[in-house]
Amino acid sequence: MVKKVISIFIVGMMLLSFTYTPEGKVTAAEASASKVWWDGAELKPGQIGRVTILKENTLFMLDGRNLEPVRKLHPGEVYRVYSAKTPDGYVPMYGVGGKYYVVQNVYPNNTGHLKYETPSKSKLALVKQ
């Protein structure tokens, strides 16, 4: 009888530990419910768009004013974009996190190396909440 009471008590405590969260904490279920999805990918805070690599391109690291190649990007790869800039006399550069950038090639024979897309304003507003 004592073993039965102890096992019921332990099971009850385990159930309570899974359902109780201190005030201000978000449960896993609440976190997954609050995620904003954009075409099958989660939209992250600070994200302003995404680039899809259409033809082989290069990932660069911006070191001061110099772009240093890091690695090759292959068709089909998709990256979140957190910033976009076009320095004077240069082509558009999309910040994919940290100091890393993907550069849009706009030479006459090299157009279409990547596709830049932005989410709707309503989805961006949901992420900022």
Side-chain angles (χ1 to χ4, degrees), residues 1 28 32 38 54 72 76 81 85 89 103-107 112 119:
M1 177 71 173
S32 65
W38 176 36
L54 301 176
K72 291 288 182 193
V81 174
K85 60 183 174 181
V103 177
Q104 173 70 59
N105 294 324
V106 291
Y107 302 109

Side-chain angles (χ1 to χ4, degrees), residues 17-117:
S17 68
F18 289 123
T19 58
Y20 172 75
T21 56
E23 191 173 321
K25 300 278 183 171
V26 178
T27 65
E30 291 171 332
S32 65
S34 66
K35 291 181 181 180
V36 179
W37 295 94
W38 176 36
D39 291 344
E42 183 183 353
L43 196 57
K44 298 285 190 175
Q47 183 179 349
I48 62 169
R50 68 176 170 218
V51 290
T52 304
I53 308 302
L54 301 176
K55 295 181 183 175
E56 191 171 274
N57 209 329
T58 304
L59 178 68
F60 291 98
M61 183 175 75
L62 185 61
D63 184 24
R65 293 185 53 85
N66 299 324
L67 284 176
E68 297 179 15
V70 175
R71 70 177 189 92
K72 291 288 182 193
L73 304 177
H74 303 285
E77 295 178 345
V78 179
Y79 297 92
R80 291 183 176 98
V81 174
Y82 297 96
S83 66
K85 60 183 174 181
T86 306
D88 292 337
Y90 290 98
V91 296
M93 297 172 25
Y94 302 107
V96 295
K99 296 180 178 183
Y100 296 101
Y101 288 85
V102 178
V103 177
Q104 173 70 59
N105 294 324
V106 291
Y107 302 109
N109 294 331
N110 293 331
T111 57
H113 276 79
L114 60 89
K115 177 173 65 170
Y116 174 64
E117 301 170 284

Side-chain angles (χ1 to χ4, degrees), residues 111-129:
T111 57
H113 276 79
L114 60 89
K115 177 173 65 170
Y116 174 64
E117 301 170 284
T118 57
S120 67
K121 292 190 185 286
S122 62
K123 287 191 185 276
L124 285 173
L126 287 172
V127 172
K128 290 181 182 178
Q129 291 179 346

